[in-house]
Amino acid sequence: MIGIVALTALAQAARSELKWEQTSVDLKPALGDKQAVAHFKYENVGNTPVHFKSVHASCGCTTAQTQNERVAPGEKGEIIATFNIGGRTGTQVKTVTVQTDDPDAARSTTVLTLKAAITPLLEIQPALVYWQNGEEPKPKVITAKANKDAAIKKLDVASSTPDFTVKVDAGSAPNEFKISVQPRDTTKAVYATLMIKPDFPNTANVFSVAARVMPPTPATKSTLSTIRHDLATPAATAASPSQ
Amino acid sequence: MPAIGEAIYFRNKVSWQSPIPAAELVRVDRARSWGDNVIWVDARPDNEFERDHIPGAILLNEDHWNELLPQFLGQWSPERKVVVYCSAQSCNASREVAKRLREEAQLKNVFVLDGGWEEWLKNKR
């Protein structure tokens, strides 16, 4: 009996527990930022060491680093989660799953959540303007709305090929631009990347959209059979310039 | 009980919080039946695409959205359906890429491959 009590007391005494200051972090990266970094602070409030078994991010766009593999009793530290923003916009939720050797299953796995609200510098729509082959080469408009905090006054737009002309005008709303795109010719298939560069300092943000004149629509089965039928008739043969 | 377990497992996954509408999902067998009328879009990270991908797939992920989007649009054609995939059922990248293609490029007939790359491999013939 005394032995059982002693063992129970010992088990209760020998305890490791990683206490997290917070398991969810909200971030608001500045315009043009490439990364968002979250710090998840912890402390071992138990009296035996804790070991990290694994730290796994929910996507390849996020990396997570521990300072030490072993956390001594009373030791504090943090896991740094770095989210590479890339071309993402809107609310992004990324998780980091941390596993320790804590014998208590309820405490051995912790999910850390990083929420980042990413506001784009420019919202561009549509990202593609195209003309069917032979369509009248009228201008088509792309709208670019600049973030109001960015105070963008000017957009430079350049076409990667001389097949399209571009013109930038102020839009109907503040911070809005209208990019007018026009092909020189719609009888041949052409493609261009339009590079849009806002006059925003401290970033190399260049946005890309596409302009195309589509290739001629492939003949459908019924069209082909009509053509073959026409070629087979004496009238068609007579009309053929090669005969 | 299984539903509770599933709810706990998926609690931090965005796909659980906002499921993809059925009309925007396509199963592997159906997408394959479309033959050449499909443009496959791989929304996974570059290194996973480089390792292996659906034959003919075009890389378009949000890590390099600005650079990759014009390349994809240069190969898009209005008569073909677009099927976007990521790693597995639980990933969210394909849904995000499909949504942006619909909204930003204003493309129609954009679908998400149900089960993603994992499901494609299971159905590989």
Side-chain angles (χ1 to χ4, degrees):
Chain A
M1 184 65 184
I2 293 168
I4 293 167
V5 171
L7 278 173
T8 310
L10 193 66
Q12 280 175 348
R15 188 176 61 90
S16 62
E17 186 183 344
L18 215 55
K19 191 175 178 188
W20 295 89
E21 205 171 274
Q22 53 188 350
T23 55
S24 182
V25 172
D26 288 338
L27 298 170
K28 205 169 178 192
L31 283 172
D33 275 3
K34 302 286 177 213
Q35 292 183 328
V37 182
H39 297 259
F40 297 96
K41 293 182 191 296
Y42 58 76
E43 181 183 357
N44 182 357
V45 295
N47 52 19
T48 59
V50 175
H51 295 87
F52 288 113
K53 283 168 71 183
S54 69
V55 178
H56 179 74
S58 62
C59 85
C61 56
T62 305
T63 57
Q65 284 182 315
T66 55
Q67 289 171 315
N68 301 306
E69 194 207 332
R70 178 182 181 274
V71 187
E75 189 180 345
K76 291 180 179 179
E78 64 180 9
I79 283 183
I80 302 169
T82 306
F83 165 49
N84 293 305
I85 295 169
R88 293 171 183 81
T89 60
T91 302
Q92 299 288 325
V93 182
K94 306 297 167 194
T95 59
V96 175
T97 305
V98 180
Q99 282 198 304
T100 66
D101 62 354
D102 194 321
D104 183 340
R107 288 198 309 253
S108 65
T109 302
T110 305
V111 177
L112 307 172
T113 306
L114 177 159
K115 287 182 195 166
I118 302 156
T119 47
L121 190 59
L122 277 182
E123 282 180 61
I124 304 167
Q125 273 192 347
L128 168 71
V129 280
Y130 70 95
W131 289 258
Q132 293 294 356
N133 203 275
E135 183 182 335
E136 195 180 345
K138 283 184 178 172
K140 293 191 178 180
V141 175
I142 295 169
T143 303
K145 284 182 191 161
N147 188 297
K148 60 178 171 29
D149 297 330
I152 291 167
K153 297 273 176 281
K154 188 171 161 274
L155 288 186
D156 284 328
V157 185
S159 169
S160 63
T161 73
D163 300 305
F164 296 89
T165 56
V166 290
K167 192 164 83 88
V168 183
D169 293 305
S172 51
N175 309 308
E176 190 181 278
F177 300 88
K178 298 278 183 196
I179 303 163
S180 180
V181 187
Q182 187 170 21
R184 294 186 192 281
D185 178 10
T186 60
T187 59
K188 58 173 184 170
V190 284
Y191 165 78
T193 302
L194 309 179
M195 310 294 276
I196 304 171
K197 193 173 182 336
D199 64 337
F200 186 71
N202 306 325
T203 80
N205 271 310
V206 177
F207 299 82
S208 304
V209 295
R212 286 180 71 181
V213 172
M214 305 306 284
T217 313
T220 60
K221 272 184 184 173
S222 59
T223 316
L224 280 173
S225 63
T226 310
I227 293 166
R228 286 196 193 105
H229 175 77
D230 288 348
L231 284 172
T233 61
T237 308
S240 170
S242 62
Q243 296 298 309
Chain B
M1 260 319 266
I4 295 168
E6 205 174 8
I8 292 166
Y9 180 77
F10 286 110
R11 69 193 182 281
N12 287 310
K13 295 189 166 64
V14 175
S15 54
W16 168 263
Q17 290 158 5
S18 49
I20 303 166
E24 293 171 9
L25 268 178
V26 62
R27 291 170 59 92
V28 172
D29 50 356
R30 183 156 179 244
R32 287 176 76 132
S33 75
W34 292 337
D36 291 340
N37 289 322
V38 176
I39 303 175
W40 296 98
V41 172
D42 193 321
R44 298 176 302 159
D46 300 15
N47 59 343
E48 290 182 36
F49 175 82
E50 279 157 20
R51 209 175 301 141
D52 202 3
H53 54 259
I54 294 177
I58 300 168
L59 176 67
L60 177 58
N61 59 44
E62 289 195 291
D63 291 333
H64 305 287
W65 182 258
N66 273 331
E67 299 83 0
L68 296 172
L69 179 65
Q71 291 176 24
F72 162 74
L73 293 173
Q75 295 177 64
W76 172 83
S77 62
E79 62 275 4
R80 293 168 76 191
K81 295 177 173 74
V82 176
V83 179
V84 190
Y85 67 93
C86 53
S87 305
Q89 189 73 49
S90 59
C91 69
N92 201 42
S94 54
R95 195 190 76 133
E96 288 301 317
V97 166
K99 184 170 173 258
R100 292 183 74 170
L101 287 177
R102 283 186 214 107
E103 291 177 1
E104 293 178 27
Q106 297 177 358
L107 303 187
K108 293 182 173 68
N109 292 321
V110 180
F111 300 87
V112 169
L113 185 66
D114 196 5
W117 172 245
E118 210 171 76
E119 198 59 31
W120 167 270
L121 288 178
K122 279 186 207 162
N123 287 270
K124 203 170 163 183
R125 271 169 268 165

